[in-house]
Amino acid sequence: MGSSWVLDDPETPIRIMLLGVAGPMEVNGAVFNDVMPNLGVTLTDEEVALVLTYVRSSWGNSAPRPRR
């Protein structure tokens, strides 16, 4: 429930989506060791914003949805 990776600093998930990430990461006590490709070359800015809005407000994460 809730991940500090997507809730604590809103710029962290943006950087991860745009630049990608690899190697071990600890999330709520569980260690994941995989690769996430840089989606900034594939997705538009609007698509990145939509994905991150969904992630930050789903699966037990409680970030507020931005107002339009």
Side-chain angles (χ1 to χ4, degrees):
M1 291 281 192
S3 169
S4 62
W5 281 91
V6 297
L7 296 176
D8 288 353
D9 175 16
E11 291 186 20
T12 297
I14 294 169
R15 281 193 299 275
I16 290 172
M17 288 260 324
L18 295 179
L19 304 174
V21 68
M25 297 173 61
E26 185 175 333
V27 180
N28 295 342
V31 177
F32 299 88
N33 190 5
D34 213 337
V35 175
M36 178 169 169
N38 59 333
L39 297 174
V41 297
T42 306
L43 302 178
T44 66
D45 290 347
E46 182 178 2
E47 291 169 327
V48 169
L50 289 169
V51 168
L52 291 178
T53 297
Y54 179 77
V55 168
R56 287 175 42 84
S57 60
S58 300
W59 302 302
N61 297 315
S62 58
R65 291 181 179 264
R67 288 194 269 167
R68 290 185 167 209

